[in-house]
Amino acid sequence: MKFDSSNKIFSWYYSIIITTILIVGALASVFTYIKISESTQNTLLKNAASIASVLETDNILSFRGNENDLKNTGYVSLKDKFEKIPEINSEIRFVYLWGYRDQNVYFFVDSEPATSLDYSPPGQVYTEATEIDRNMFLKNLPSTMEMNTDRWGTWLSALTPIKDSSTGKLIAVMGVDMNANTYFRTIYVYTAIPVLSTIFVLILIVVGFILRKREQEFLAFKSELVSIASHEIRSPLTGITWIMDALLKEGEGLSEKQKYDIDLVKNKSEELLLTVNDLLDGAVAEKLSKKKLSKQPIQVKTLFEEIMNDSFLVLAEKNIKLNIDSSIAPEVTILGDFDRIKRMFNNLFSNAIKYSKNGGVVRVSAINQKANFVFAIKDEGIGISPKDQNKIFRGFFRAENAKKITSNGTGLGLHYVKQIAELHNGKVWCESKEGLGSTFYVKLPK
Ligand code: ADP
């Protein structure tokens, strides 16, 4: 199935939207990742700072960093406090105090109960100490974050220097550890919000795109099918009406009953031909572009007279008078595709006749505007209710009062009229009162 230029614009439009959403989604995800990781680290640093602010430095100065500390009441009381911190704040796994001697970082005190396998007694060397850990002592680093793996796992650690309040000398380093899994889980959970929202919006858009593409392919296929089928039916039908016509004209030797039957077949064939034409018009108009119109000056008066002559039989049958107003003067000309403009007005005239009561009058006039002519086709027929007036140009719609008058109609004629008017940069609309009549207006450039 071929895609025309509007489909290309439509595909471009979707590509731009999808790319924009992808970029915005990616930026939002990266931004969230950075922000959440920063805020988690800041929270850990703040926690460490607030714990450090309540430590008694005199107490720490009394620690020896060996088993003797176990008997030191200061050690016992600090260990007791440290043990409580992970219980209160579930995000903190370890709190500890380090000292430094003989080029080794070692534990003064930690938050693990002595019964725990993870407990580090005073004086235990921290063999996995990193460059940063050592530099906390050697280079007097300020509060620092680090990601470190040791025998207990992988940790995000906030390290805070503890200084003697009177001398300002570094006496220990306090560490607060958060499990790296907890840290990354927090970040991933928050980052998942923009990521999932982007994916969700993209899925909606892609599904919309596929559905719309399928619908367009289906419509194109349908109109192709209608057009082929109508063509195949129209030719033999036209042949049948000609043969019936010829039979009637040379009707010598035919009985009245035979003439009546032939006339009936001819009328029914013509009705069928009109329906097929409507279907074909609809299908063709959908594919027509402005470029495919072959425009020429059209003298409207002559055109209307031609249509009137073609409708002579129907007008006589319903005793309807078709009145071409004097405003349709010989100089009223428009630029358009003759065949299409003729079929367009033909549809409007035949509707006005079809939906008129017997003995009615159909009047056609023109209003001369600066750049346009507005043609008005006015009948005294069944009229159209206000709610139906919006629907009649959509195609495949017939009002209830119209169905009561005749079953003959496809609801496609006005759809074709609208498309042809628009292809000529024109417009069509109607004014109507149910039971009193309708006026259809067509505005066309001069
Ligand atoms: P149809 O083949 O049914 O005439 P059209 O597309 O030409 O299809 O018109 C659509 C519907 O608009 C008609 O079925 C009818 O309900 C309404 N309609 C159109 N022209 C008139 C009119 N002159 N008077 C009253 N109703 C009209």
Side-chain angles (χ1 to χ4, degrees):
M1 210 61 57
K2 271 189 194 165
F3 274 82
D4 59 16
S5 60
S6 76
N7 280 327
K8 274 192 198 133
I9 294 171
F10 165 72
S11 298
W12 266 104
Y13 173 75
Y14 265 93
S15 312
I16 291 170
I17 289 197
I18 288 175
T19 317
T20 312
I21 290 174
L22 271 176
I23 293 172
V24 172
L27 287 177
S29 308
V30 172
F31 181 77
T32 312
Y33 184 97
I34 293 171
K35 278 287 154 201
I36 297 296
S37 104
E38 269 176 18
S39 95
T40 314
Q41 291 188 23
N42 284 341
T43 310
L44 198 63
L45 270 176
K46 273 185 199 156
N47 282 336
S50 54
I51 298 169
S53 69
V54 295
L55 294 182
E56 290 159 19
T57 49
D58 287 349
N59 189 22
I60 297 169
L61 282 169
S62 71
F63 295 170
R64 293 287 148 258
N66 57 36
E67 287 195 349
N68 292 335
D69 286 345
L70 296 172
K71 292 173 221 138
N72 181 336
T73 50
Y75 171 89
V76 176
S77 122
L78 185 61
K79 179 152 183 72
D80 189 44
K81 283 177 191 148
F82 273 14
E83 279 183 22
K84 289 204 173 84
I85 293 170
E87 287 168 20
I88 298 164
N89 188 338
S90 60
E91 287 193 343
I92 295 175
R93 177 63 187 90
F94 294 122
V95 185
Y96 45 86
L97 213 55
W98 281 336
Y100 189 78
R101 78 180 154 223
D102 304 332
Q103 296 173 0
N104 283 323
V105 174
Y106 66 95
F107 285 93
F108 274 132
V109 56
D110 76 351
S111 57
E112 281 299 286
T115 50
S116 162
L117 289 175
D118 300 328
Y119 164 64
S120 298
Q124 186 188 73
V125 173
Y126 181 51
T127 49
E128 294 97 335
T130 64
E131 197 70 11
I132 296 176
D133 301 339
R134 285 172 204 286
N135 283 341
M136 289 299 291
F137 294 95
L138 301 175
K139 295 194 176 165
N140 253 320
L141 293 183
S143 290
T144 306
M145 295 296 310
E146 73 164 338
M147 186 69 80
N148 180 22
T149 300
D150 58 24
R151 72 198 96 155
W152 295 289
T154 303
W155 312 101
L156 178 72
S157 309
L159 302 175
T160 309
I162 309 292
K163 292 185 176 166
D164 184 343
S165 48
S166 48
T167 63
K169 232 180 110 199
L170 182 78
I171 53 173
V173 167
M174 193 197 71
V176 177
D177 285 0
M178 176 187 219
N179 195 317
N181 286 340
T182 314
Y183 168 67
F184 285 118
R185 203 182 317 123
T186 311
I187 297 175
Y188 292 153
V189 164
Y190 282 98
T191 311
I193 297 169
V195 171
L196 292 178
S197 311
T198 310
I199 293 173
F200 180 68
V201 173
L202 280 179
I203 288 175
L204 282 186
I205 288 179
V206 169
V207 168
F209 176 75
I210 292 170
L211 288 179
R212 167 108 202 248
K213 214 168 128 185
R214 281 211 188 136
E215 192 190 320
Q216 282 182 333
E217 282 175 0
F218 175 70
L219 285 177
F221 174 70
K222 205 173 82 178
S223 103
E224 190 90 17
L225 207 70
V226 168
S227 136
I228 293 169
S230 308
H231 255 302
E232 297 308 307
I233 299 169
R234 186 150 72 165
S235 315
L237 258 184
T238 316
I240 291 173
T241 51
W242 283 348
I243 292 168
M244 294 299 144
D245 239 0
L247 266 178
L248 280 177
K249 275 179 196 149
E250 303 160 3
E252 282 166 37
L254 290 176
S255 69
E256 282 309 305
K257 168 80 174 85
Q258 283 169 326
K259 278 188 190 165
Y260 177 82
D261 286 346
I262 292 172
D263 200 32
L264 201 69
V265 173
K266 188 186 153 236
N267 283 340
K268 288 290 163 201
S269 308
E270 278 170 354
E271 268 177 27
L272 202 55
L273 202 55
L274 278 178
T275 309
V276 170
N277 278 339
D278 268 0
L279 288 172
L280 199 55
D281 284 345
V284 169
E286 259 163 42
K287 283 195 230 145
L288 258 185
S289 69
K290 284 184 189 172
K291 278 187 206 148
K292 287 189 192 150
L293 296 174
S294 72
K295 287 190 180 173
Q296 61 183 87
I298 302 169
Q299 196 193 35
V300 178
K301 190 166 192 282
T302 320
L303 174 73
F304 285 178
E305 281 166 357
E306 223 174 273
I307 295 176
M308 195 165 95
N309 289 338
D310 292 347
S311 322
F312 166 73
L313 272 177
V314 210
L315 288 168
E317 198 180 309
K318 288 188 85 174
N319 189 24
I320 288 171
K321 223 174 146 250
L322 204 157
N323 186 334
I324 301 179
D325 188 80
S326 59
S327 55
I328 312 227
E331 55 276 13
V332 174
T333 52
I334 50 165
L335 198 65
D337 183 309
F338 184 82
D339 288 341
R340 302 214 151 93
I341 292 284
K342 184 173 175 186
R343 279 202 59 72
M344 183 187 82
F345 279 117
N346 213 356
N347 276 332
L348 292 171
F349 280 98
S350 66
N351 274 352
I353 300 166
K354 184 157 71 169
Y355 299 115
S356 275
K357 293 154 195 163
N358 284 356
V361 177
V362 173
R363 193 167 286 114
V364 49
S365 57
I367 303 159
N368 193 345
Q369 293 181 334
K370 225 179 188 179
N372 307 294
F373 281 113
V374 179
F375 300 98
I377 296 128
K378 184 174 167 38
D379 65 58
E380 299 165 346
I382 57 170
I384 308 159
S385 71
K387 76 171 166 47
D388 289 342
Q389 285 176 28
N390 298 323
K391 303 180 191 162
I392 53 176
F393 294 100
R394 278 186 210 162
F396 295 109
F397 175 81
R398 301 200 68 220
E400 285 310 315
N401 59 350
K403 285 188 206 161
K404 271 185 211 152
I405 281 218
T406 172
S407 60
N408 185 15
T410 54
L412 281 171
L414 287 181
H415 183 58
Y416 176 75
V417 169
K418 181 170 180 276
Q419 284 177 309
I420 294 301
E422 284 170 0
L423 279 172
H424 285 82
N425 300 320
K427 211 178 137 185
V428 57
W429 69 97
C430 87
E431 284 170 8
S432 182
K433 279 217 167 78
E434 217 176 341
L436 292 179
S438 319
T439 307
F440 280 82
Y441 295 93
V442 186
K443 183 173 173 177
L444 290 171
K446 285 181 179 171

